[in-house]
Amino acid sequence: MHRFFVPPEWIEDGAVVLSDGVARQLSHVLRARAGDRITVLDDSGWEHLVTLTEVASDRTRGLVVERSRSVAEPSVRVTLYQGMLKADRFELVLQKGTELGASVFVPTLCARSVPRPRGESRESSRLDRWRRIVVEAAEQSGRGRLPKLREPVPFSEACDGVRGPAIIPWEGETEAGLKAALGRLRPNAGALASLGIFIGPEGGFTQEEVDQARAVGVVAVSLGRRILRAETAGVSVVAAVMYELGELGG
Ligand code: SAH
């Protein structure tokens, strides 16, 4: 069934009025008809099963026939501080990270990050494009909440924003592995409510960055003997964390 994240105000008293891109997609792309069912999400963790009553490209109406809690949200809130990468690779991390259950993405400007595009309009159109990628991946993968996408921040600001347990995979770390570090962050195999994950850019983190992260309590971990590309590392660590916490099929 097709799923759409919509602004909460589009749903009122059991009735739904869809406009903009969602209405256009339903009428033109999906050729929906009155009587068809869709799932509408308002980013509250609730899902609304809706029967369409009127389909038009400017305004499509429907009635909520059932409301249920989303079952797809992970119990751990993962914030991925991903070092800025070339556009297509960064987009891959956003898409796959959303599918895997990340809750927050923080594009992080590292000492070795590729420079950011000049000009505010390019910056905002890039963020719009990224938001669309996150929304599409969230709809397609059945998420009940939309992952947050923050504006790019410098590495030191990202460090200052860390609250709770966090790890920084770093190829200079030879002792602590990911599994052991996660074990220590959740005593007695208890629940982990949140986890920050710092992934470096293509050129990796500088020693100063790793020191700075450690100074605010972020734990350096190894991902083993092979060096993963930055986008592979971001996606793999989210997957491994979800697996370890029983959020990837058991
Ligand atoms: N500095 C490296 C590559 C960086 S890989 C170089 O150019 O030689 C990009 C990021 O992925 C790293 O900053 C780190 O966060 C993560 N990463 C990749 N492989 C890793 C490994 N084996 N152990 C820990 N972190 C790794």
Side-chain angles (χ1 to χ4, degrees), residues 99-110:
E99 290 167 39
L100 287 162
S103 294
V104 187
F105 295 99
V106 184
T108 305
L109 298 157
C110 301

Side-chain angles (χ1 to χ4, degrees), residues 170-175 214 221:
W170 179 47
E171 50 299 346
E173 173 61 48
T174 48
E175 312 240 309
R214 281 180 160 150
V221 300

